[in-house]
Amino acid sequence: MSAFTDEEKRKFIALHNTNGQLFEDVMTDIYKRWIAPGMTVIDAGANHGHHTFQLSDAVGPDGLVVAIEAIPRLVAEIEYKLEANNRRNVRMVCGALSSTSGMAQFFHRSDMDGWSSLFSAHVPPESEEQNLRRFLTPMFTLDLLTAHIDSCRFMKLDLEMNEFPAMQGGRKLIRGFRPLMVFENSRQHADDLADFTADEFFTFMSQLGYRVYDIFFDPLTRENWHNEDTVPVYNIAVHQSQEDRLLQLPIRQIFEDSPAAVNT
């Protein structure tokens, strides 16, 4: 049974759409409860480093954050902040994650960095063409990281419609390390741009022993895949062996105590 009524879900979705922060706060609370000092985690789509630094705090000096960002200017910005704050537990990687490796054209929306992506058709509202920058970026798979890390307990993916292709390129990493994955999933919009189907998505998750929930901790299914009314784009994939631990988290309290909800 859901912890929230449909009316409450609509209220929280509307609040996030207004302030852009609610679900980010909830995600942060979830991973702070999940991560322990010394763990290795991945921040895929680091942007300006909002989650990178909080993940750095969560894993502590003996842990490791692998932060991946395709925009060189933002990589340099984060590296400067890391050096200024004497943080040694973050490893920056400049490039784009996908299902294959190579070089790819990247579309940087300089007026809205967070909308930058591998897709020319992913255009933010009111964006102006003069703010679009195109450049070639290294494209690589999550599985390539397995040569450099020996575990991964948590992964955040915010890749502007390319989250599932990135997971497809991380089959070995995900199967071996079983990380909790929190990711944006625009579903029908993402599958149009990134060329995948709901069946492919759920088959992939099932083959790896994962179940998928929305951020309200309600199951994401083929039946509600197209529901934009009460199913948010923030999703959580958890290995079945850790499912009970996730669902024991007090998700209603997490929502009610989030700064974005408290301050409204």
Side-chain angles (χ1 to χ4, degrees):
M1 181 176 177
S2 178
F4 303 91
T5 66
D6 284 351
E7 182 179 353
E8 288 173 323
K9 293 176 187 178
R10 293 186 187 100
K11 180 191 73 172
F12 283 128
I13 290 171
L15 177 58
H16 177 79
N17 290 340
T18 298
N19 63 31
Q21 194 58 41
L22 174 62
F23 295 150
E24 298 287 330
D25 290 345
V26 171
M27 174 173 60
T28 301
D29 195 322
I30 291 171
Y31 68 63
K32 285 183 176 180
R33 295 170 186 261
W34 192 266
I35 295 168
M39 286 183 175
T40 296
V41 302
I42 294 173
D43 182 7
N47 200 247
H48 290 272
H50 174 74
H51 291 290
T52 305
F53 285 87
Q54 296 187 83
L55 289 167
S56 170
D57 289 337
V59 302
D62 295 326
L64 175 66
V65 180
V66 180
I68 302 163
E69 174 54 50
I71 301 171
R73 175 177 60 81
L74 298 187
V75 173
E77 175 187 316
I78 296 173
E79 288 179 331
Y80 176 82
K81 293 176 182 177
L82 291 170
E83 183 66 27
N85 289 277
N86 196 34
R87 290 180 184 255
R88 308 298 181 191
N89 64 349
V90 178
R91 184 182 305 165
M92 294 299 305
V93 182
C94 188
L97 285 173
S98 197
S99 57
T100 59
S101 297
M103 297 296 293
Q105 190 169 64
F106 195 83
F107 300 88
H108 177 204
R109 307 285 174 179
S110 60
D111 52 342
M112 294 185 181
D113 290 324
W115 279 70
S116 302
S117 74
L118 290 167
F119 306 106
S120 61
H122 183 49
V123 182
E126 302 179 4
S127 179
E128 298 182 2
E129 187 66 19
Q130 67 262 29
N131 294 315
L132 173 62
R133 305 287 185 270
R134 299 174 175 87
F135 61 86
L136 286 177
T137 187
M139 189 171 67
F140 60 95
T141 67
L142 280 166
D143 279 347
L144 289 178
L145 297 179
T146 59
H148 306 282
I149 59 176
D150 57 12
S151 68
C152 177
R153 299 301 303 276
F154 173 82
M155 183 158 50
K156 184 224 85 181
L157 300 103
D158 183 358
L159 302 172
E160 299 304 304
M161 308 293 173
N162 212 47
E163 291 83 4
F164 180 56
M167 293 180 194
Q168 290 176 303
R171 182 182 290 268
K172 176 182 175 182
L173 183 150
I174 295 168
R175 187 189 299 277
F177 298 153
R178 298 180 177 180
L180 182 73
M181 298 185 288
V182 179
F183 58 101
E184 288 197 16
N185 182 15
S186 297
R187 300 188 294 280
Q188 62 267 35
H189 305 296
D191 60 27
D192 287 343
L193 286 177
D195 192 25
F196 66 90
T197 67
D199 281 343
E200 289 172 329
F201 176 88
F202 286 108
T203 298
F204 175 87
M205 293 297 180
S206 177
Q207 288 175 344
L208 294 181
Y210 272 75
R211 292 199 174 101
V212 185
Y213 293 84
D214 65 28
I215 203 163
F216 295 124
F217 284 10
D218 291 323
L220 181 68
T221 66
R222 288 174 174 84
E223 289 68 33
N224 63 16
W225 181 260
H226 294 285
N227 179 354
E228 295 182 335
D229 182 37
T230 58
V231 182
V233 299
Y234 284 67
N235 289 176
I236 304 169
V238 61
H239 192 268
Q240 294 173 22
S241 64
Q242 304 172 74
E243 188 175 18
D244 287 346
R245 180 188 170 199
L246 174 70
L247 298 181
Q248 287 171 3
L249 296 180
I251 189 60
R252 187 175 186 87
Q253 177 189 337
I254 290 171
F255 264 87
E256 292 175 346
D257 291 346
S258 66
V262 169
N263 294 329
T264 57

